[in-house]
Amino acid sequence: MNTKVNDEARLVEVETQGAIATITLNRPEKRNALSLPMVRQLRECFEALPGSVRVAILAGAGPHFSAGLDLSELSEASSADGIQHSMTWYEAFSKIQFGRVPVICVLQGAVVGGGLELASSAHVRVAEESAYFGLPEGQRGIFLGGGGSVRVTKLIGFSRVTEMMLTGHVVSASEGYVIGLAHYVTPAGEGMRKARELAERIAGNAPLSNFAIMQALPLIAEQPMSHGLMTEALMAAITQNAPEAKDRVNAFLDKRAAKIGAPDPKTGE
Ligand code: 1HE
């Protein structure tokens, strides 16, 4: 099924195949610069994913994932507009990070400013070799405003974010892999294939486990140790008590399930 959110503007496209939805930033002529209408459409897409979807892939059309904030929106904006602007981005990116389904991002070319803030709200990042990461806010006379101070900092630490913002250091895909901006680096044109392979794997997990991974892990990371351990224990008890968990564990004990790193005995894959 192929739907265009807001047919007139066609800024974000959604294509659903079975359990996997692919959501594509579709403004390549502006290097997928994130305008407010585009950010709103992104939110709508994630809110409207059909119940049959279990994983989403987020991609950008053209040679660049995203050139970040649409800078043309800034020229007339007041401080109050700026705060509202950030709030709109926060709502949209929260729907991605804390939505119903895990999100895999495919990155190529520029992943800069707000583009990196967007990518950091996804759960898995696959970077093609062409991808590069930057935080040019310092050069533009502005600041992070799409949650990057929190999310990018959690990925690579505030020292690296500070240095990238101060110096305009552009981080290559391979360097991004080493410091934790990307989980995988693929040859050119291979990012989507890799993302689909990962999506199939994630879609095969128990939904309750995926829920716990997406929703509980980030909360636990912000809790003091005693609270974190309690949250973990509660989440563990709930997931392992689900009938699906019992079935999966029994399948392993009965030698019907794949060992780690080995082909699945049922499918041979
Ligand atoms: C844009 C934007 C944009 C391109 N806002 N219009 N982001 C930046 O500082 C990155 C700015 N962009 C670039 O450095 C380059 O465009 C790229 C390296 C990403 C790509 O270069 P290139 O040569 O392929 O494309 P181009 O010719 O620069 O751009 C094509 C068109 O897209 C052109 O418009 P045209 O009408 O002349 O065709 C560009 O003006 C337009 N375009 N990027 C608006 N960002 C919530 S706070 C987040 C803060 C930030 O994100 S700061 C980082 C902003």
Side-chain angles (χ1 to χ4, degrees):
M1 188 177 65
N2 202 338
T3 32
K4 294 193 168 90
V5 171
N6 186 343
D7 245 9
E8 268 172 31
R10 296 186 45 190
L11 298 171
V12 181
E13 292 196 21
V14 185
E15 192 194 349
T16 306
Q17 274 181 353
I20 302 171
T22 304
I23 295 173
T24 307
L25 308 175
N26 189 29
R27 204 187 176 206
E29 70 287 358
K30 293 287 182 188
R31 308 309 184 248
N32 297 319
L34 295 162
S35 61
L36 269 181
M38 197 165 177
V39 170
R40 289 199 187 98
Q41 285 181 32
L42 255 182
R43 192 196 69 210
E44 286 162 20
C45 286
F46 279 93
E47 279 173 347
L49 285 177
S52 55
V53 168
R54 295 177 72 163
V55 185
I57 296 173
L58 176 62
H64 299 280
F65 173 70
S66 173
L69 169 70
D70 185 331
L71 293 164
S72 68
E73 288 181 345
L74 280 191
S75 50
E76 305 285 319
S78 67
S79 296
D81 293 337
I83 289 175
Q84 243 356 90
H85 191 278
S86 281
M87 294 299 164
T88 305
W89 282 48
Y90 298 159
E91 281 167 23
F93 293 6
S94 273
K95 296 285 173 204
I96 297 173
Q97 185 177 3
F98 299 111
R100 194 179 53 76
V101 301
V103 180
I104 303 170
C105 214
V106 180
L107 306 169
Q108 78 284 359
V111 186
V112 300
L116 179 52
E117 295 182 293
L118 171 59
S120 69
S121 62
H123 304 94
V124 178
R125 279 167 295 282
V126 177
E128 295 193 351
E129 280 165 351
S130 65
Y132 57 90
F133 305 94
L135 293 171
E137 283 80 355
Q139 284 158 266
R140 304 282 178 239
I142 56 178
F143 190 62
L144 290 157
S149 317
V150 179
R151 291 196 179 92
V152 184
T153 300
K154 280 187 193 294
L155 294 183
I156 61 174
F158 86 94
S159 171
R160 287 187 195 279
V161 172
T162 305
E163 189 273 335
M164 283 174 75
M165 291 189 73
L166 285 175
T167 67
H169 178 179
V170 172
V171 171
S172 66
S174 55
E175 194 186 350
Y177 172 77
V178 171
I179 67 176
L181 286 173
H183 298 101
Y184 298 88
V185 178
T186 74
E190 288 289 310
M192 186 53 79
R193 192 196 55 72
K194 183 70 189 174
R196 289 196 173 280
E197 175 198 317
L198 297 171
E200 297 285 356
R201 233 185 277 167
I202 293 171
N205 292 342
L208 196 52
S209 292
N210 281 350
F211 170 85
I213 293 162
M214 286 175 61
Q215 308 289 339
L217 268 185
L219 286 190
I220 291 169
E222 294 192 350
Q223 290 176 337
M225 189 168 182
S226 56
H227 296 204
L229 294 177
M230 177 56 81
T231 309
E232 180 191 88
L234 294 173
M235 206 66 245
I238 292 168
T239 49
Q240 75 201 24
N241 206 30
E244 186 168 359
K246 307 269 184 228
D247 292 346
R248 285 170 181 250
V249 171
N250 286 334
F252 174 77
L253 296 174
D254 296 344
K255 311 219 178 301
R256 287 181 284 115
K259 293 184 189 180
I260 304 304
D264 188 311
K266 273 191 291 189
T267 63
E269 286 175 18

